[in-house]
Amino acid sequence: MSSQKAQYAHLLPPSWKTRVTAWLDEDTPSFDYGGYVVGEVEREAYLLGKGSDPNSVLAGVPFVNEIFAQLDCSVEWHMEEGETFKPIKHVATVRGKARQLLLGERVALNLLARCSGIATKSRRFRDIAQSNGYKGVIAGTRKTTPGFRLVEKYGMIVGGIDAHRHDLSSMVMLKDNHVWSTGSIRGAIETARQVSGFTLLIEVEVGSEEEADEAIDAGADIVMLDNLEGEQLYGVARRLKERWAGKRKFLIETSGGIDEGNLKERAVNEIDILSTSAVHQSVQHIDFSLKIQVPK
């Protein structure tokens, strides 16, 4: 019995295609003056990957497919999503009426540039950490662009890292404001557990070893060590694991200030999860262009 190859596109929820419609509506809210010029003659266009990174990762394929599908165009890909390419690479051929090709051009290129940029940066972070012997998880954050989170989280996954929680409903994360508003770490955890049930993990942000002990004792699944760095961070993580071995199961996460320059020193196996917004905020986009071909 042959097994079907898993595709990233199969992660997407039923509602995602309506977002593509909204993107197209935003870009052409009234008259299409350029479309009037070119008309509806059938044309073929080459989608070219031009990013300066020699290990650019292609990501965003299902979104581009849907953009052009809604414009009655077809896309033929010449490489698999998640593969790397060196510029300039003919990554796909798009066919359809000239007016329709140009209606989808900028929406598709912008999306592909952002999603591929995130995937490329994510892949680089993963590879650096793994080459350093890190066995834990590299993850993004929830600091994503409003309305564009699905694309950005998708890029992280294609790049090979963990997308972290997708929204407030997918995991309970109790930060300092939750604890201060409740009065104690234990009180915040116990209150959350009343409604979250057994299916949701509870993560608690702590600022000291003592707070971490309180969170673990109260049943936190993950403790995020905040405002701790270097040997202090690793020492606290090491002692927590030794002290609670055989008593509680939990993971240790750290975040904040993690970038390519310090990733090797931060990627130590005392830490289970390294989360960083550097893989999706201020990321260098991968440049693409769409060129309609002159009929032969």
Side-chain angles (χ1 to χ4, degrees):
M1 180 178 176
S2 61
S3 59
Q4 183 182 11
K5 182 180 178 181
Q7 296 182 34
Y8 296 114
H10 295 164
L11 286 166
L12 297 172
S15 60
W16 73 274
K17 294 183 180 181
T18 60
R19 304 183 192 194
V20 172
T21 306
W23 297 335
L24 292 169
D25 288 346
E26 177 189 48
D27 205 40
T28 313
S30 58
F31 292 133
D32 176 20
Y33 299 106
Y36 174 78
V37 172
V38 300
E40 295 196 337
V41 61
E42 291 289 334
R43 288 289 183 258
E44 183 175 271
Y46 290 174
L47 179 61
L48 305 175
K50 301 165 60 179
S52 58
D53 193 312
N55 294 302
S56 298
V57 177
L58 175 66
V61 165
F63 302 102
V64 174
N65 284 343
E66 181 62 20
I67 288 168
F68 285 111
Q70 291 194 18
L71 295 167
D72 297 319
C73 299
S74 64
V75 184
E76 178 188 356
W77 293 94
H78 306 309
M79 59 181 294
E80 294 289 328
E81 186 166 45
E83 290 182 346
T84 60
F85 65 89
K86 294 179 173 60
I88 296 175
K89 169 72 174 177
H90 179 191
V91 299
T93 300
V94 189
R95 299 179 179 91
K97 294 178 172 61
R99 181 173 74 89
Q100 305 294 78
L101 290 172
L102 295 177
L103 280 171
E105 175 188 20
R106 183 43 56 193
V107 178
L109 294 179
N110 287 355
L111 184 141
L112 202 58
R114 176 99 179 118
C115 195
S116 295
I118 290 171
T120 301
K121 192 68 171 280
S122 298
R123 181 75 54 83
R124 196 154 61 239
F125 266 62
R126 184 201 69 181
D127 291 347
I128 291 172
Q130 289 182 350
S131 68
N132 199 47
Y134 184 59
K135 306 298 183 185
V137 174
I138 301 294
T141 73
R142 200 168 60 89
K143 297 175 183 177
T144 51
T145 308
F148 212 59
R149 178 176 300 166
L150 187 70
V151 176
E152 294 176 350
K153 293 283 191 180
Y154 186 89
M156 297 177 211
I157 292 172
V158 174
I161 68 168
D162 195 296
H164 214 295
R165 64 172 178 159
H166 286 252
D167 48 54
L168 292 174
S169 302
S170 55
M171 184 175 74
V172 181
M173 180 176 281
L174 303 174
K175 301 176 77 68
D176 51 7
N177 284 325
H178 297 92
V179 173
W180 294 336
S181 297
T182 308
S184 71
I185 290 172
R186 179 176 293 278
I189 293 174
E190 290 176 349
T191 301
R193 191 65 79 186
Q194 291 172 11
V195 292
S196 63
F198 70 91
T199 61
L200 288 180
L201 297 176
I202 294 180
E203 177 168 7
V204 183
E205 180 184 84
V206 300
S208 68
E209 188 169 348
E210 292 73 24
E211 289 182 352
D213 278 325
E214 182 182 355
I216 294 166
D217 189 52
D221 300 292
I222 308 167
V223 290
M224 177 184 283
L225 299 176
D226 190 38
N227 296 323
L228 299 176
E229 296 181 2
E231 287 305 318
Q232 183 188 18
L233 171 66
Y234 311 142
V236 169
R238 197 177 302 116
R239 288 192 296 274
L240 289 172
K241 291 190 173 185
E242 291 172 353
R243 185 155 58 246
W244 291 98
K247 302 174 186 176
R248 290 280 195 276
K249 289 184 178 179
F250 62 93
L251 298 173
I252 295 176
E253 177 178 351
T254 185
S255 186
I258 300 172
D259 55 36
E260 284 189 65
N262 63 20
L263 182 57
K264 284 189 176 182
E265 64 186 66
R266 298 287 293 270
V268 296
N269 286 313
E270 285 85 355
I271 307 299
D272 301 297
I273 306 160
L274 287 172
S275 57
T276 175
S277 60
V279 296
H280 54 89
Q281 287 190 327
S282 303
V283 167
Q284 177 68 46
H285 289 187
I286 303 301
D287 189 26
F288 290 86
S289 66
L290 187 72
K291 296 298 182 183
I292 292 180
Q293 301 302 294
V294 178
K296 296 179 180 178

